[in-house]
Amino acid sequence: MIGTTIAQYHILEKLGEGGMGVVYKARDTKLERDVALKFLPDRPGTSDQEKTRFVQEARAASSLNHPNVCTIHDIQEHAGPDGSKQMFIVMEFVDGQTLRDRMGSTGSMSLRQAVEIGIQAADGLSAAHDKGIVHRDIKPENIMIRKDGIAQIMDFGLAKLRASSSKITRLTREGSTVGTAGYMSPEQVQGLDSDHRSDIFSLGVLLYELFTGQLPFKGVHETALAYEIVNVDPAPMSVMKPDIDPSLDAIVLECMEKDPNERTQSAKQVAVDLRRYKRESSRQKASRITAARPVYTGAGSVSGVTSGAASGVASRASAASTGAMPVGGDSGEFSGEYTGAAAQPAAGRSRSIVPWIVAGLFFLTTAGALLFHFTNPPVPPPRRVTRATIMAPLNANFNVGNGGHIAISPDGRIVAFAASDTTGRNSLWVRPVGSMTPILLPGTNGATYPFWSPDNRTVAFFAGGKLKKIDAAGGPTLTICDAADGRGGTWNREGVIVFSPEANGLLSKVSAAGGLPVPLSKVDSGVVAINHRWPHFLPDGRHFVYTTQSTVGGIVDDSIRIASIDGGYDTVLMIGNSNVEYASGHLLFHRQSMLMAQPFDTVRLAFTGDAVPIAEELQYSNFRYRAIFSVSGEGVLIYQGGAEQTGRIAILDGAGNTVQVLDFKNPAGGRFSSDGKRIVLESRDDQARTADIWIRDIESGRDSRFTFDAAIDRTPVWSPGDDSIVFSSTRSKRYDLYVKHTNGTDAEQLLLQSDQDKFVSDWSRDGRTLAFYTTGSMTTKMDLWILPLTGDRKPIPFLRTEFREGLGSFSPDGRWIAYMSDETVRWEIYVRALDGSAGKWQISIDGGVAPRWAGDGKTIYFGSADRKAMAAAVRVVNSAVVVDSIRTLFDYDSRSIIGGYSDITPDGRRVLARIGESRLTTPPITMVVNWNEELKKQANAEAPDGR
């Protein structure tokens, strides 16, 4: 191929060849730059699997923009002379040599150079892992050292997006190994599923080789090598090279722990540790140089030591030689001639009693002053009440959804909060109160409802169906236990966490160190459908307050309760529907859009006065029973104001322009009928906590109520012929599936009842099948099911994994189902065959929710993570789904869309969505320091004697 021109690329020379491709140097004749072209090996029988992996490499690496990762420019297809098509990647041409060549050409390299390369490799891996990319083949051959010293990670040919799970679909044969012998992790060697921690193991091997010149595992053949990797701990590097610092040894060996859970959890942490070692070793070197070269002054004193101190040293030495010690302390900071008792003759001592008289008068005066002070203590001046505003990080917004996600540390010095960046990714941040700079905590994607450890060092949060924790100063994210859909937690000084693991469950307790949760709270048998949430420890660490919520509308069972951690005490404290926190002798809670503070005795566990408002217009989620506030034990309060957006339902065109705004009370979403003439809507009553289903005729504007029960009726879906509607309802405690004819003459019929909440998402075009998803399972979290409407109507589990899957959408021909899953940490859209045959295809690249098939089956609509409506052009080739292109239809924020779209017609010309006021930024956090001083002023003003 050398000398030929493909597209605009003139091939100059062959650079190398590997198992996943041949690489050529080429000249881009349009942009006048050198590039590298990587072609899939040109051999007969190239499998679809290899092609899929090749495309995956391009998609994975092209999403990265980091100085320590090779840049991918494009992916194209080249038609060969025989008409066959060969794919190739256009990537940055790196003028340099591989790390293997660099190590070989010099025989070795300095420790300083090795540490620097290690830092850059860790930085590059961290960037890849943040994008959900696992390289799986880190080795010296895949790292290029440019002439300017920059290290770049190459060859993502074996990269595995987290979308590829061994339990679902793998690009490698089940049980096979992928990687390079000697650098693979134990889980790779054993053919187990691997994640980013496998790369960290390989990085540890590479660092070991860099620092010692030897590999840590030395099996004479592949089987022996595999055995060592799985079973034998590597020798410390200091055994190979005694001059290696033990702290550097610890960094590398922790990367190579056999158990991924015991291994360093993030590449970023490896980079941080290496940089810390680099700094500390430089300081130690500097201190050694300084200690070896003291500077003497002309006066004979040592520079940096005071003359007084030197005199003291001399005096102590003299006194020691005479058996005496100087007075005035051991600092040597005294002047004048030493005249201690040992130097005075006994006969010459004065016998005067004057000093005793003076001492006695001094004692009496001091005692009188102290007595007056304690019997009449001075009144401390009131502390100033200070208010400040905390803005969201640059290019990010506070996540105020579902009652917000903020928490102040117990000492009032650090604010933890969840914020979304421009891509829609939600992560945890911390900001010291005395700083203007918020700090992102890596590895916290999807974080919700943070809460602090009592020592102010650690933040716990919910993400990915787990309860997790992370050091507030940064570091690896550690999993404590499963929590399918957490609703708050609290942490006491004994290391016990009380938390709500799921939306419709009770409270559990677990050790902060991790373990199996133990059920804690209970529900009276006579109470209907109650869940418990938002626990908060009182100062004794034994009792805690929490909120109960009825899951069936119309039943007044909501309350604030107080309980003990041993389960021996649990009683109603007050009727209410808010999260509650204790500080400064008060319980704080939400009531009628205000933040209230009510005096509370933590010994008697009872209120001692009336509640008074301390903040107005507090943001509050009616359906979560949570207001956005947090308070520390040191007089610091934070909260967010502004009412929660409810919005109006609107019909938009395919470009997102508003066509018609529907006057409808508190809509929560809806669906177009198949003929496009009607809309079925869910309308909520926040005060009564009920929801009913209505039908709107678009042309006439006439509304007709469809359900009338006092329960919560949700997620309505039309039948293909528009003659029936299936929906979920809490009529029997849990959300069960019901169906009802649209003629209104027949009562609804129960379709499916079970002990899990169920929500229907689609009805197949032939009318024979429903897609629904379940929530609330501690192990499988959120599962996708199929319900046949013929035969025995027995539900069939379609996807039940450790991840969350839901919102299934049938293709028009009934062969495929599109759905969303969080197996890559964030939601993405996938397609599988409905008959369960092998194969899974990822449709979205940068996040995706709510898939909908177009009527012709050639387009899948979905919402992106960065709040845009998207359309993916798809086609089926040899029983495989191919994505030809993905385009943006419109963005949500500029159209004032709340959440995302509710539905889109099969032709893509009309969209149903809730719209509100145009608000591209969320309200700031308000901070009040010494908030309780205003309560003291108010109490003093109301006292009868005016005190």
Side-chain angles (χ1 to χ4, degrees):
M1 298 182 69
I2 297 174
T4 62
T5 300
I6 298 175
Q8 74 263 32
Y9 306 107
H10 182 69
I11 298 178
L12 302 175
E13 60 179 299
K14 184 176 180 179
L15 296 175
E17 184 172 358
M20 275 302 297
V22 183
V23 183
Y24 295 91
K25 180 181 178 181
R27 184 68 176 173
D28 186 336
T29 57
K30 285 187 177 179
L31 300 178
E32 293 297 321
R33 63 180 177 182
D34 289 336
V35 295
L37 307 183
K38 180 174 181 180
F39 290 83
L40 198 65
D42 188 13
R43 60 176 181 261
T46 299
S47 67
D48 291 339
Q49 184 183 54
E50 289 177 297
K51 292 180 180 179
T52 301
R53 184 182 293 145
F54 194 73
V55 173
Q56 179 174 287
E57 172 183 353
R59 288 187 177 180
S62 65
S63 65
L64 297 174
N65 182 17
H66 192 274
N68 299 122
V69 177
C70 178
T71 302
I72 300 298
H73 299 309
D74 196 8
I75 180 170
Q76 295 192 25
E77 205 168 38
H78 164 60
D82 58 353
S84 62
K85 292 185 178 180
Q86 189 177 18
M87 291 180 293
F88 65 93
I89 293 175
V90 184
M91 54 188 175
E92 174 187 3
F93 172 69
V94 180
D95 190 7
Q97 59 184 161
T98 68
L99 180 56
R100 173 66 69 203
D101 292 336
R102 178 72 172 271
M103 294 164 65
S105 63
T106 61
S108 64
M109 63 177 64
S110 70
L111 183 62
R112 181 185 62 81
Q113 290 175 316
V115 169
E116 185 59 37
I117 290 174
I119 291 171
Q120 294 187 51
D123 282 339
L125 271 183
S126 177
H129 294 168
D130 285 346
K131 288 284 189 178
I133 302 165
V134 182
H135 190 284
R136 295 203 298 176
D137 197 21
I138 293 297
K139 57 184 178 181
E141 289 81 359
N142 282 337
I143 295 179
M144 292 288 292
I145 309 299
R146 299 188 337 193
K147 289 185 176 180
D148 59 4
I150 301 286
Q152 289 188 308
I153 300 175
M154 311 287 290
D155 196 359
F156 279 83
L158 294 175
K160 184 190 78 169
L161 294 176
R162 289 197 188 105
S164 301
S165 169
S166 64
K167 295 184 176 63
I168 304 174
T169 294
R170 294 178 62 143
L171 293 182
T172 57
R173 176 174 55 86
E174 189 68 29
S176 65
T177 60
V178 176
T180 299
Y183 296 89
M184 290 188 290
S185 65
E187 54 268 30
Q188 285 176 291
V189 168
Q190 297 174 86
L192 303 175
D193 189 33
S194 58
D195 58 19
H196 68 285
R197 293 172 296 185
S198 289
D199 282 349
I200 294 172
F201 187 95
S202 301
L203 177 62
V205 175
L206 183 143
L207 293 173
Y208 193 104
E209 186 180 14
L210 265 178
F211 298 145
T212 67
Q214 302 180 47
L215 283 169
F217 309 105
K218 305 179 179 65
V220 294
H221 50 78
E222 187 170 334
T223 303
L225 186 60
Y227 177 85
E228 284 197 22
I229 290 173
V230 175
N231 299 288
V232 179
D233 290 328
M237 295 189 300
S238 53
V239 173
M240 307 297 173
K241 298 183 72 173
D243 59 335
I244 289 183
D245 192 292
S247 63
L248 186 61
D249 224 347
I251 295 171
V252 175
L253 292 179
E254 189 174 355
C255 291
M256 291 189 290
E257 287 285 350
K258 307 296 185 187
D259 185 350
N261 293 320
E262 299 296 328
R263 202 174 296 158
T264 305
Q265 296 294 295
S266 70
K268 184 177 182 64
Q269 186 61 47
V270 178
V272 169
D273 291 341
L274 289 175
R275 284 192 174 93
R276 183 182 295 114
Y277 166 79
K278 180 180 176 182
R279 289 194 305 269
E280 291 177 354
S281 61
S282 298
R283 290 170 184 162
Q284 290 170 4
K285 183 177 179 181
S287 64
R288 287 194 297 268
I289 293 173
T290 303
R293 297 181 179 179
V295 179
Y296 293 91
T297 65
S301 63
V302 180
S303 177
V305 182
T306 65
S307 299
S311 300
V313 173
S315 299
R316 283 193 292 271
S318 175
S321 68
T322 61
M325 287 297 293
V327 296
D330 62 355
S331 67
E333 294 178 358
F334 64 95
S335 60
E337 184 180 357
Y338 173 59
T339 56
Q344 297 182 17
R349 292 178 183 171
S350 172
R351 302 287 184 177
S352 174
I353 64 171
V354 173
W356 293 99
I357 296 174
V358 173
L361 291 173
F362 176 77
F363 172 79
L364 291 174
T365 303
T366 303
L370 290 173
L371 179 64
F372 178 81
H373 173 81
F374 286 109
T375 55
N376 296 275
V379 178
R383 294 176 297 175
R384 177 186 295 180
V385 179
T386 305
R387 287 176 169 80
T389 296
I390 299 177
M391 305 302 294
L394 185 65
N395 298 322
N397 269 331
F398 292 121
N399 182 356
V400 298
N402 300 317
H405 311 269
I406 63 174
I408 185 76
S409 61
D411 62 5
R413 296 186 177 187
I414 309 176
V415 178
F417 58 88
S420 301
D421 60 20
T422 54
T423 68
R425 177 176 295 182
N426 196 61
S427 300
L428 194 63
W429 298 67
V430 291
R431 173 175 161 174
V433 169
S435 171
M436 297 295 291
T437 305
I439 302 168
L440 173 65
L441 297 180
T444 59
N445 186 37
T448 62
Y449 303 126
F451 58 96
W452 284 87
S453 64
D455 63 3
N456 310 288
R457 295 179 179 179
T458 308
V459 185
F461 60 96
F462 301 92
K466 306 285 184 181
L467 173 61
K468 302 181 178 183
K469 64 180 179 180
I470 187 171
D471 194 307
T477 298
L478 304 176
T479 295
I480 299 173
C481 64
D482 287 340
D485 193 13
R487 294 294 184 268
T490 184
W491 190 333
N492 73 4
R493 291 183 181 86
E494 282 68 47
V496 177
I497 291 177
V498 174
F499 69 107
S500 175
E502 56 178 305
N504 290 322
L506 307 180
L507 299 180
S508 296
K509 63 180 178 180
V510 68
S511 168
L516 293 176
V518 177
L520 182 58
S521 61
K522 301 177 182 178
V523 172
D524 296 335
S525 58
V527 178
V528 180
I530 291 292
N531 65 64
H532 298 167
R533 53 186 57 200
W534 318 130
H536 178 82
F537 271 119
L538 296 177
D540 64 5
R542 292 183 55 251
H543 294 89
F544 58 90
V545 289
Y546 68 94
T547 305
T548 71
Q549 182 189 63
S550 64
T551 58
V552 180
I555 299 177
V556 183
D557 279 318
D558 303 325
S559 63
I560 309 300
R561 298 181 68 93
I562 187 167
S564 61
I565 198 169
D566 58 7
Y569 183 85
D570 195 337
T571 188
V572 174
L573 181 64
M574 61 184 290
I575 301 300
N577 50 11
S578 169
N579 50 315
V580 179
E581 295 190 16
Y582 175 86
S584 304
H586 293 76
L587 285 181
L588 278 65
F589 53 89
H590 170 271
R591 179 184 292 167
Q592 296 180 356
S593 79
M594 293 182 291
L595 181 60
M596 311 294 291
Q598 189 164 359
F600 184 77
D601 188 327
T602 57
V603 177
R604 295 191 296 115
L605 302 179
F607 290 115
T608 60
D610 296 331
V612 296
I614 58 175
E616 298 181 349
E617 296 300 324
L618 193 67
Q619 282 213 45
Y620 174 76
S621 171
N622 281 294
F623 268 71
R624 289 281 168 100
Y625 282 15
R626 181 173 175 86
I628 308 182
F629 75 92
S630 179
V631 63
S632 79
E634 302 297 327
V636 180
L637 165 69
I638 60 173
Y639 68 91
Q640 283 180 290
E644 182 183 33
Q645 284 190 304
T646 56
R648 298 172 296 169
I649 202 76
I651 299 175
L652 318 176
D653 62 19
N657 302 307
T658 300
V659 175
Q660 182 181 359
V661 177
L662 308 182
D663 184 15
F664 200 83
K665 180 184 178 182
N666 204 9
R671 294 284 190 96
F672 289 107
S673 60
S674 58
D675 62 10
K677 296 181 179 180
R678 291 176 293 175
I679 301 173
V680 61
L681 292 161
E682 172 190 337
S683 176
R684 295 180 177 179
D685 186 333
D686 291 337
Q687 298 302 318
R689 291 204 68 251
T690 62
D692 287 297
I693 295 172
W694 293 67
I695 296 177
R696 160 67 65 98
D697 184 281
I698 297 176
E699 185 175 347
S700 67
R702 184 174 61 86
D703 294 324
S704 58
R705 185 170 176 175
F706 186 67
T707 61
F708 298 86
D709 197 273
I712 300 175
D713 300 329
R714 296 187 58 193
T715 62
V717 173
W718 294 90
S719 66
D722 300 333
D723 56 354
S724 297
I725 293 174
V726 64
F727 60 95
S728 300
S729 178
T730 60
R731 300 171 192 213
S732 299
K733 299 184 181 181
R734 289 288 189 179
Y735 282 100
D736 295 318
L737 300 185
Y738 293 80
V739 65
K740 182 179 179 180
H741 288 291
T742 54
N743 58 20
T745 58
D746 298 326
E748 53 266 16
Q749 298 178 3
L750 178 64
L751 273 181
L752 181 62
Q753 188 175 37
S754 70
D755 60 356
Q756 285 187 299
D757 291 330
K758 299 162 289 295
F759 300 96
V760 66
S761 59
D762 201 11
W763 199 324
S764 63
R765 304 301 192 274
D766 60 9
R768 303 177 63 183
T769 312
L770 293 177
F772 71 94
Y773 61 95
T774 58
T775 64
S777 169
M778 289 292 291
T779 54
T780 60
K781 304 176 185 69
M782 181 171 164
D783 305 317
L784 187 58
W785 292 73
I786 301 298
L787 179 64
L789 297 179
T790 58
D792 59 4
R793 293 188 178 184
K794 185 178 180 179
I796 303 168
F798 186 76
L799 277 176
R800 298 182 71 186
T801 73
E802 69 269 35
F803 309 112
R804 293 189 293 173
E805 299 95 5
L807 288 180
S809 177
F810 296 112
S811 63
D813 60 8
R815 292 181 55 196
W816 311 93
I817 186 166
Y819 63 96
M820 65 186 205
S821 170
D822 69 347
E823 62 187 83
T824 62
V825 179
R826 66 179 175 186
W827 294 107
E828 298 282 5
I829 304 299
Y830 302 89
V831 169
R832 284 178 177 267
L834 190 60
D835 62 9
S837 58
K840 177 189 70 174
W841 295 268
Q842 183 173 335
I843 305 302
S844 59
I845 298 297
D846 295 317
V849 295
R852 297 281 194 277
W853 285 87
D856 58 7
K858 296 179 180 180
T859 302
I860 297 176
Y861 304 108
F862 63 92
S864 69
D866 56 350
R867 294 183 47 76
K868 294 182 177 67
M870 312 294 291
V874 298
R875 56 192 171 92
V876 177
V877 179
N878 297 327
S879 300
V881 177
V882 176
V883 180
D884 288 325
S885 64
I886 299 177
R887 61 189 176 93
T888 300
L889 301 177
F890 54 87
D891 72 281
Y892 295 155
D893 289 331
S894 66
R895 273 78 173 177
S896 305
I897 294 175
I898 301 172
Y901 68 72
S902 297
D903 197 16
I904 187 167
T905 56
D907 60 8
R909 294 182 178 180
R910 288 193 298 175
V911 179
L912 195 65
R914 283 194 307 147
I915 61 173
E917 299 175 4
S918 179
R919 187 173 72 187
L920 301 183
T921 58
T922 51
I925 294 174
T926 298
M927 180 174 67
V928 186
V929 181
N930 300 325
W931 62 272
N932 50 327
E933 289 295 330
E934 294 184 341
L935 295 181
K936 293 178 183 178
K937 291 179 182 178
Q938 184 174 345
N940 290 335
E942 294 175 353
D945 57 1
R947 290 189 297 173

